[in-house]
Amino acid sequence: MGVKDGFMGASVMMKVALILLIVANLFSWIAFTTTSWGYIDSNIVNFRGDGLWMRCGESVGCSRSDGTRLDWYAAFQAFGIFGFVGINLAMLLVVLTMFVGSCKGNAEANMGAVIMCFAGAVCWLIAVIIFAAEWPDWVGNVPDKFGFSFALAIIALIISVVAGILLVVGGKGGGGTSPA
């Protein structure tokens, strides 16, 4: 069985869910790796972008923020990791149910993909809420705004929920016909 046969044998809902998860995965990767969750523009740091793992400024360079002693930032990072991994695992399970003969028709793998879609979305949502609640207070009295990584995390979690719903509605039977 080839990739084309696996894709053609899957239900329309599974195909759409796979495409949505590819997009959600792309947005999740960008949000996870970039320093654009929030921007600060001030005389002290010039223009700085904060991300999950680094903080970069035009005039001060970059500094790592992993291993921080701020509890809220550590929680933000932890839930960001869980959200990122959840969306990656959801896509992997959908790929397995669509393209691997021994997983085709496997309801457990499909249910695992559904669970990972929702778990990843919930964890990204918690990370977004933590960042939105704490970051302005942490920044202080300087002009700040949320960046594109923040927005992409929100879009990724919404797309993941939609993909999970599609997998529940159209993924019964695990993604297509069983091999003969």
Side-chain angles (χ1 to χ4, degrees):
M1 168 177 312
V3 172
K4 181 180 176 187
D5 294 333
F7 190 78
M8 297 309 287
S11 69
V12 174
M13 298 279 195
M14 286 290 284
K15 292 175 189 174
V16 173
L18 175 65
I19 292 167
L20 288 175
L21 282 172
I22 290 170
V23 173
N25 207 6
L26 174 69
F27 289 170
S28 183
W29 271 89
I30 294 170
F32 190 76
T33 58
T34 57
T35 58
S36 298
W37 276 75
Y39 298 118
I40 301 170
D41 194 7
S42 73
N43 295 336
I44 299 166
V45 293
N46 209 359
F47 184 76
R48 185 179 89 192
D50 289 320
L52 270 165
W53 310 111
M54 294 194 78
R55 172 174 306 123
C56 295
E58 285 181 359
S59 61
V60 295
C62 292
S63 63
R64 294 173 48 173
S65 56
D66 56 339
T68 182
R69 295 193 53 130
L70 296 170
D71 290 340
W72 75 266
Y73 210 86
F76 161 60
Q77 289 173 328
F79 282 105
I81 291 169
F82 295 141
F84 174 74
V85 170
I87 292 175
N88 278 285
L89 287 176
M91 191 173 111
L92 173 67
L93 289 169
V94 168
V95 167
L96 288 174
T97 59
M98 287 179 69
F99 301 116
V100 176
S102 60
C103 293
K104 212 164 210 5
N106 188 327
E108 289 85 9
N110 186 63
M111 184 53 64
V114 170
I115 291 168
M116 287 294 102
C117 280
F118 292 126
V122 166
C123 289
W124 264 131
L125 178 62
I126 293 170
V128 164
I129 290 169
I130 291 170
F131 189 79
E134 296 290 339
W135 187 68
D137 293 335
W138 180 57
V139 170
N141 295 327
V142 295
D144 60 351
K145 62 182 177 178
F146 295 112
F148 72 86
S149 299
F150 181 83
L152 289 179
I154 294 170
I155 294 168
L157 76 88
I158 291 168
I159 292 173
S160 182
V161 167
V162 172
I165 291 168
L166 290 176
L167 289 172
V168 168
V169 172
K172 294 179 175 79
T177 58
S178 298

